[in-house]
Amino acid sequence: MEVKPFYWKGDHLLLLDQKKLPREEVWLKLETYQDVAKAIKDMAVRGAPAIGCTAAYGFVLGVKEGENPEKVYETLKNTRPTAFNLFWALDRMMKALKEGKDIEEEARAIEREDYEANKKMGEFGNELILHKAKILTHCNTGALATAGWGTALGVIRSAHYSGKDIFVWVDETRPYLQGARLTAWELLKENIPHKIITDNTAGFLMKKGAVDLVIVGADRITARGDVANKIGTYTLAVLCKEHGIPFYVAAPTSTIDPNTERGEDIPIEERSEEEVKTCGGCLIALEDSPALHLAFDVTPAELITAIITEKGVFKPHEILRALKDQRFL
Ligand code: MRU
């Protein structure tokens, strides 16, 4: 049975609460657009494509209950600032409404297309992965972060199911622990060989020759190919350069923001200090110690070997071509 993080039920959205994983599998029943906005803000659902899909269903719930579409759009839009898929999906929903289309069908199409894009990325990305590759990944980019299968983790999944004897190093991904809690949960379910490491282990493993490639997802890709992704991604890209290791990004074209040229212009979400000062609900620092919690960083195009999309594999500076045509390296 494939993992799916949400199910549309016609008059509500069933959502797997990712805050409770991996210990408990709790399903939330979201009946209003405000419920959906809260779930996105609180990170009960997270991962750029999954945020986009659930926001689309949130839009359907709001409009169906007779709320002003602009208000629904704004409320959902103001949940998280970095993941471009959120804005892409909401703009698409608003356009569909204005054109008199069936908005429920539009939301279903967004979900369906995301899943299909992931399977395509899996096929393209698999061609870059050698038999017995040792792959390092960061955050969670799997079925849980998408409409199913996953982006970077989808590529890993495709490589595994194509019969390659791959191994995955899973960065725990402080402070929200998407790697330790979510990626390891997905890999364990499917018996894909892996080990969780603390984020600061990556460099030493690279030095020892224990990492053949790094593959991560993206929250936003700019016109020049800079990539915003989970905090810690930039560090990995710099380490890859130092050690001569390929650094790949896998993301659907819905993550590409053609109107933002440079990574410096991407809004970076700052979350609560508490998420840094606690671990598993326990305070690990003094209450009075200040902390900084940037949820994302930006990796410049120059540090990225290639970007895998559903349209093919592109050099970062050529990424806008992915919106237009198909291109292979
Ligand atoms: O804060 P999160 O968990 O929403 O951040 C998720 C990531 O950074 C992912 O790498 C990105 O959204 C791509 S998910 C396919």
Side-chain angles (χ1 to χ4, degrees), residues 47 131 183 215 279:
H131 185 53
T183 300
I215 181 162
C279 192

Side-chain angles (χ1 to χ4, degrees), residues 38-326:
K38 186 171 184 308
I40 295 173
K41 213 179 180 94
D42 295 350
M43 292 176 67
V45 59
R46 27 71 46 205
I51 291 172
C53 292
T54 48
Y57 286 122
F59 186 84
V60 175
L61 288 172
V63 172
K64 274 193 172 180
E65 88 194 24
E67 184 60 272
N68 176 347
E70 287 294 341
K71 187 174 172 200
V72 177
Y73 175 90
E74 287 301 323
T75 306
L76 289 163
K77 204 174 132 181
N78 287 321
T79 48
R80 296 192 71 191
T82 306
F84 188 68
N85 307 58
L86 172 66
F87 312 109
W88 172 87
L90 286 170
D91 285 347
R92 183 165 157 179
M93 292 303 293
M94 188 55 109
K95 184 164 177 280
L97 180 71
K98 286 184 176 155
E99 288 171 355
K101 284 191 187 162
D102 177 343
I103 55 167
E104 188 172 338
E105 182 41 44
E106 192 72 2
R108 283 186 196 276
I110 288 175
E111 177 185 348
R112 196 169 51 240
E113 288 167 25
D114 186 63
Y115 183 79
E116 287 163 4
N118 292 338
K119 294 299 284 248
K120 273 273 163 218
M121 273 183 265
E123 284 171 31
F124 292 132
N126 187 19
E127 289 173 25
L128 304 168
I129 294 181
L130 296 174
H131 185 53
K132 291 194 177 291
K134 295 182 288 301
I135 308 167
L136 190 145
T137 192
H138 192 64
C139 197
N140 172 266
T141 58
L144 288 170
T146 62
W149 201 254
T151 59
L153 199 60
V155 170
I156 290 171
R157 225 176 218 120
S158 295
H160 171 78
Y161 286 112
S162 74
K164 289 176 187 163
D165 187 12
I166 55 152
F167 177 85
V168 189
W169 294 113
V170 179
D171 262 3
E172 62 173 349
T173 320
R174 275 275 291 153
Y176 195 73
L177 303 174
Q178 288 94 331
R181 296 191 305 107
L182 309 175
T183 300
W185 179 79
E186 289 195 34
L187 292 173
L188 198 62
K189 255 186 190 302
E190 295 176 42
N191 288 319
I192 302 179
H194 67 281
K195 270 186 190 169
I196 301 168
I197 52 171
T198 58
D199 298 332
N200 42 19
T201 303
F204 191 48
L205 286 178
M206 289 182 188
K207 178 102 175 79
K208 282 155 65 85
V211 179
D212 296 315
L213 68 136
V214 169
I215 181 162
V216 298
D219 278 83
R220 194 184 291 229
I221 303 174
T222 69
R224 71 179 294 279
D226 297 337
V227 169
N229 192 48
K230 183 51 55 194
I231 192 81
T233 301
Y234 169 65
T235 318
L236 288 174
V238 173
L239 283 168
C240 280
K241 186 179 178 200
E242 169 70 17
H243 295 93
I245 293 169
F247 180 87
Y248 295 110
V249 172
T253 50
S254 51
T255 306
I256 303 171
D257 174 2
N259 299 319
T260 300
E261 179 64 23
R262 303 167 328 133
E264 292 91 317
D265 299 327
I266 299 175
I268 297 295
E269 178 179 11
E270 198 169 329
R271 294 185 66 86
S272 82
E273 290 184 36
E274 287 324 299
E275 288 178 0
V276 170
K277 295 198 295 183
T278 56
C279 192
C282 285
L283 196 62
I284 53 167
L286 292 176
E287 190 67 77
D288 288 343
S289 296
L292 171 68
H293 184 184
L294 299 178
F296 301 98
D297 59 27
V298 177
T299 300
E302 297 70 34
L303 293 178
I304 299 166
T305 309
I307 302 178
I308 303 156
T309 75
E310 78 277 20
K311 300 278 185 69
V313 181
F314 297 81
K315 280 284 178 199
H317 68 274
E318 290 184 318
I319 195 62
L320 285 188
R321 280 171 173 268
L323 294 176
K324 299 190 197 99
D325 56 32
Q326 195 144 325

